Amino acid sequence: MQTSDEITLLVQRWSAGDRDALDKLLPGIYVELRRLARIQLGRQQGHDTLQATALVNDVLLKLIDRDAPQALESRTHLYNTAAKMMRQMLVDRARSAAAEKNGGGWLRDEFTRALELPIPEQTRLPELDAALTELAALEPRMAQVVELRYFIGLSVAEVAAMLELEERTVYRDWAAARAWLKDRLSD
């Protein structure tokens, strides 16, 4: 078991580029990092499938695989850095799970039906983007209406206010753009 001073010395040598110091450091800090990982996992809900060992391994890989090791000054600095990395990994994992729960796996047909767009289910966004670019060259305002409605989700009233147009003008542009896109994307 390494003392705090020995770990600090090894951390400093590793930060200075000594790879042998890293080999001597890892066995001494692994147990402590696992303890930190268990604490972090215990504080967070929804990570029942993640084990402390996996979290520690991910942190160690991030610490080791950097091009230039961060200037770690001491044992405390190393553990604080590792704890922050663990927390960030858990936050990222939770965000990813929440995004998936809240529509990360949405289906195109449900989305286009909800927006009343004439876009076939198999439409790929690059094709839609090309069609909108073409529409913008012909009718810039119509393309802008589609962008605001489709990509941002604004209502007709909100688009009208934003573009300083009458609502009936936005309805006309919207209807014309939908027909044009339907024709363009049906090929």
Side-chain angles (χ1 to χ4, degrees):
M1 178 114 180
Q2 298 166 329
T3 67
S4 179
D5 290 338
E6 290 171 333
I7 292 173
T8 294
L9 180 63
L10 289 172
V11 166
Q12 291 169 347
R13 285 181 38 207
W14 173 51
S15 290
D18 183 353
R19 298 300 276 182
D20 290 334
L22 177 63
D23 292 339
K24 293 175 184 171
L25 178 66
L26 286 178
I29 63 169
Y30 191 80
V31 172
E32 183 65 14
L33 288 176
R34 280 193 56 214
R35 187 183 69 74
L36 285 172
R38 278 195 301 278
I39 290 170
Q40 287 288 350
L41 287 170
R43 291 179 182 161
Q44 308 291 326
Q45 292 182 348
H47 298 289
D48 302 331
T49 60
L50 184 61
Q51 294 184 353
T53 303
L55 186 56
V56 168
N57 290 342
D58 286 347
V59 166
L60 288 175
L61 284 174
K62 281 190 176 226
L63 282 170
I64 293 169
D65 285 346
R66 292 176 297 172
D67 291 335
Q70 180 181 355
L72 297 171
E73 301 162 2
S74 66
R75 171 186 174 272
T76 303
H77 192 192
L78 171 69
Y79 289 142
N80 284 334
T81 301
K84 287 177 186 175
M85 292 172 90
M86 287 178 201
R87 188 184 79 226
Q88 190 58 52
M89 287 177 187
L90 293 174
V91 167
D92 291 345
R93 192 170 191 257
R95 282 185 184 142
S96 176
E100 190 64 32
K101 240 189 276 181
N102 294 316
W106 61 273
L107 299 175
R108 175 166 300 282
D109 62 337
E110 292 173 359
F111 186 64
T112 55
R113 216 176 304 128
L115 292 175
E116 300 175 351
L117 290 176
I119 301 171
E121 187 176 329
Q122 284 77 26
T123 299
R124 292 183 303 198
L125 285 179
E127 292 170 358
L128 176 59
D129 181 55
L132 278 174
T133 301
E134 193 175 334
L135 179 60
L138 299 170
E139 295 290 338
R141 190 179 69 207
M142 279 188 203
Q144 196 173 18
V145 167
V146 171
E147 288 171 343
L148 293 172
R149 294 269 294 141
Y150 182 76
F151 290 103
I152 298 178
L154 297 180
S155 68
V156 169
E158 291 169 324
V159 172
M162 184 172 283
L163 298 179
E164 298 177 356
L165 299 170
E166 294 289 326
E167 283 187 37
R168 64 177 184 244
T169 302
V170 174
Y171 276 115
R172 275 195 310 267
D173 284 354
W174 180 237
R178 287 176 55 205
W180 191 89
L181 285 171
K182 182 177 182 179
D183 181 58
R184 198 73 178 132
L185 295 174
S186 65
D187 292 340

